Every structure is written in structure tokens, then in C-alpha cells.
Amino acid sequence: DIQMTQSPSSLSASVGDRVTITCRASQGIRNDLGWYQQKPGKAPKRLIYAASSFQSGVPSRFSGSGSGTDFTLTISSLQPEDFATYYCLQYDSYPWTFGQGTKVEIK
Amino acid sequence: EVQLVESGGGIVQPGGSLRLSCAASGFTFSSYWMHWVRQAPGEGLVWVSRIHSDGSSTKYADSVKGRFTISRDNAKNTLYLQMSSLRAEDTAVYYCARDYRGELDPWGQGTLVIVSS
């Protein structure tokens, strides 16, 4: 199985800060990676797919990059509604695997 | 509006069975692969299972293989997860999600399964 190592597990940041979350795959997964946002008591919502692509409706402050084994989710200017837990998901091979999550908290 | 609504969760004793349903609306259900993902209380997301759009192919996490069965009824626009030999560690919120080229969107609101005596 492919292991996804996400870091940090949590971070504290202020509104307006630039935030970066990383995900490392235990083997190459091309660009078969998505990023999801989950708020307490709610279902996850997809932010990014194919490592760097996003559908309409996702704010442009969210961006993704990477290929192979190393991936990054960046929030360019953190907004109050962005405080949540973020997960990466590899879908290159079964079983699909999630990172352990990064909780973004208010500083 | 594209929507997924899960149902069927509840409290079940260890060793028991339960069937979850996921009703789809607002899109052509028969054209999409579908997944189940679960989340134990206070824990992260764990992928559980996937089914091909026509039901011809399925995949499972090792932790549920042989105990859970994913299926679908395209005439009823409904996805199922039959769970048997349930264990305490299967306690979780179970989400269904639509798959488009690896992108899981949307997700249902989730249904809680508690395995306890």
C-alpha cells in the first residue's frame, strides 16, 4: 500500500498568513493526488484534484503543486472560513490512502 | 442539485450486520464510479471501498475485505454497503462519494455506525 505522510499535523496561523501543507507519498503517484477540506461535523469537500487542478467554486487562494512523491497545498492568504482540517488523498493505486490530516487553527 | 444522502446507520452488536444506503440525485448515477469512506470518532479519513459505474468491478480496503460488500442499483440511483461480522473498530461515520477521474465530489452528509454491546 502507498503511505501518505502529511505534515504538519497541526498549525496555528493568523488571518492573512500564507500557509503551506505538504504530503509525501511512499512511492511515485504521478499527479494522482487530491486535497480535501473538512470542518467539524461536516463532510469533506474537495479543493484540488490532479495535484494542481481545481473546479469553479474553490477560492483562488488555494493552490496545489507537485508530482511524483512530493506535493504541497498552499493557502496564499488565510481567511476565517479556512480554519479546518485538510487531507491529501492518493488515487494512483488501490487501496486509496489519505494523509493523516492537518488541522489549521487560529493563532 | 447534485446530492448524496446516506442512511442505515445505527447501533449494532459486535458480530452483527448492517446495510448502509446512499441515495443519489441530480446527476446520471449510472455513469459514475462510487466510493465509501469512513471516519472513526476524532480520527482521520479512511478509504473503504469502490464500485465501477455498472457494478462490474469492486475494490476494498484490507480491513474490510471479506466482511463488507459494496453494490449498487442503478435503476434506483442507490449505492449500498453491506457490513457483516462488525467489530468495535468499524465504529465510524460512513460517507459515500461520487468519483470523477479520482476527484471525490460531492460527499454525502455521512451516517454513524456504532458497534457496541
Side-chain angles (χ1 to χ4, degrees):
Chain A
D1 298 1
I2 297 174
Q3 308 303 315
M4 302 302 295
T5 302
Q6 193 172 333
S7 61
S9 56
S10 65
L11 64 90
S12 295
S14 301
V15 172
D17 283 354
R18 181 182 181 89
V19 169
T20 299
I21 299 168
T22 63
C23 219
R24 174 165 289 177
S26 59
Q27 63 190 71
I29 59 170
R30 300 176 290 184
N31 69 336
D32 295 334
L33 183 112
W35 289 98
Y36 293 81
Q37 177 193 66
Q38 187 179 34
K39 296 182 179 180
K42 300 294 186 181
K45 290 185 178 179
R46 64 100 177 91
L47 293 174
I48 302 285
Y49 67 100
S52 60
S53 300
F54 59 91
Q55 299 282 9
S56 62
V58 175
S60 58
R61 62 182 179 273
F62 290 96
S63 64
S65 64
S67 183
T69 60
D70 294 304
F71 302 86
T72 299
L73 173 70
T74 299
I75 309 172
S76 60
S77 177
L78 199 65
Q79 297 302 301
E81 60 268 30
D82 301 336
F83 292 95
T85 301
Y86 295 84
Y87 295 91
C88 62
L89 167 66
Q90 72 80 18
Y91 51 89
D92 185 75
S93 65
Y94 289 98
W96 288 13
T97 43
F98 288 90
Q100 65 268 45
T102 296
K103 187 174 184 179
V104 177
E105 298 176 302
I106 301 173
K107 196 172 196 178
Chain B
E1 178 192 5
V2 175
Q3 194 173 14
L4 298 170
V5 178
E6 300 97 335
S7 61
I11 302 174
V12 60
Q13 292 188 338
S17 298
L18 208 58
R19 188 177 83 159
L20 306 183
S21 299
C22 169
S25 59
F27 65 100
T28 305
F29 179 70
S30 60
S31 296
Y32 291 86
W33 295 18
M34 297 293 295
H35 296 251
W36 288 98
V37 174
R38 70 184 181 183
Q39 185 170 37
E43 302 295 322
L45 301 170
V46 176
W47 176 82
V48 172
S49 184
R50 176 231 86 189
I51 188 167
H52 190 278
S53 55
D54 64 7
S56 61
S57 168
T58 58
K59 296 285 188 183
Y60 297 93
D62 285 346
S63 59
V64 307
K65 201 173 294 183
R67 300 188 300 122
F68 289 13
T69 301
I70 189 172
S71 63
R72 64 193 297 161
D73 186 336
N74 286 343
K76 294 183 177 180
N77 292 335
T78 303
L79 172 73
Y80 302 101
L81 186 68
Q82 178 69 47
M83 306 184 295
S84 61
S85 302
L86 283 162
R87 308 166 179 166
E89 54 265 36
D90 295 318
T91 294
V93 174
Y94 285 75
Y95 296 101
C96 60
R98 183 182 72 171
D99 176 357
Y100 179 66
R101 297 181 181 176
E103 181 185 0
L104 294 182
D105 178 68
W107 297 55
Q109 85 287 354
T111 187
L112 176 62
V113 173
I114 298 173
V115 183
S116 174
S117 54

